[in-house]
Amino acid sequence: DTEVTQTPKHLVMGMTNKKSLKCEQHMGHRAMYWYKQKAKKPPELMFVYSYEKLSINESVPSRFSPECPNSSLLNLHLHALQPEDSALYLCASSQGVGQGALEQYFGPGTRLTVT
Amino acid sequence: AQSVTQPDIHITVSEGASLELRCNYSYGATPYLFWYVQSPGQGLQLLLKYFSGDTLVQGIKGFEAEFKRSQSSFNLRKPSVHWSDAAEYFCAVGAGGYQKVTFGIGTKLQVIP
């Protein structure tokens, strides 16, 4: 199974709402990633969890809060977002160490619209 | 720091024609190189990767890429393009020992009948 799943597929939220994005993988990978992708742009790394610990935070605003409950699950909690946060949010996973850490498998993404 | 340049923002090819998408990287040591494809509104799918060894790598969907250290390039090729290949293609480079992959800005491929 080489699949990364993400829910929901689409999300519309107001600027005062609290919502969460979910990501799941069953490949035994020990690293998981959140990316943000604006239209016609490459993915931008937001967070990396390695062995369930946050290893990289690319100076992401605190209105985005990641969580890794276990090695298969990754959440992104959203609160008080701005319209400019509207984007496709991609989850990815990879092996935790070595060359395999760079070979990332992506989910289909959650299309987020902030109104 | 590593970087990737994809000089072509948009390429149009006829169905059945050959394809080459260009990618140049900048990295001081041996790079780890990737090509991903993204259909509209979808996630990224890994087409192929280069870590070491044979400089010509084969990937899925009939794609191949050649690593040329002297030119700092990792160009993607396909001998005969199908309409279903229309998508955005991203070249990416990673650094050994780290988990950060740097993506190029992407090349949008349009396939015409």
Side-chain angles (χ1 to χ4, degrees), chain B residues 32-55:
Chain B
Y32 298 97
L33 296 161
F34 307 86
W35 275 100
Y36 285 87
V37 61
Q38 185 178 33
S39 297
Q42 301 297 313
L44 280 71
Q45 182 180 23
L46 180 64
L47 284 176
L48 46 78
K49 63 183 184 287
Y50 173 77
F51 285 169
S52 64
D54 193 347
T55 57

Side-chain angles (χ1 to χ4, degrees), chain A residues 1-4 24-32 51-52 70-73 93-97 100 105:
Chain A
D1 183 1
T2 57
E3 189 178 50
V4 176
E24 188 168 8
Q25 58 89 14
H26 294 289
M27 293 179 277
H29 288 168
R30 301 309 301 271
M32 296 187 77
Y51 294 86
E52 293 123 67
N70 60 57
S71 60
S72 300
L73 293 173
S93 70
S94 72
Q95 296 178 27
V97 294
Y105 291 84

Side-chain angles (χ1 to χ4, degrees), chain A residues 31 33 45 48 50-51 55-56 94-104, chain B residues 2 27 29-34 50-51 93-101:
Chain A
Y33 309 75
L45 183 65
V48 181
S50 183
Y51 294 86
S55 59
I56 296 177
S94 72
Q95 296 178 27
V97 294
Q99 296 173 349
L102 298 171
E103 186 175 341
Q104 298 178 17
Chain B
Q2 66 248 34
Y27 183 61
T30 299
Y32 298 97
L33 296 161
F34 307 86
Y50 173 77
F51 285 169
V93 61
Y98 299 92
Q99 292 163 316
K100 287 185 67 172
V101 174

Side-chain angles (χ1 to χ4, degrees), chain B residues 63-83:
Chain B
F63 286 92
E64 66 178 27
E66 186 171 13
F67 171 63
K68 293 185 177 180
R69 185 185 298 275
S70 61
Q71 298 177 21
S72 298
S73 68
F74 188 58
N75 294 349
L76 182 71
R77 300 193 295 248
K78 186 169 185 178
S80 177
V81 170
H82 188 261
W83 63 266

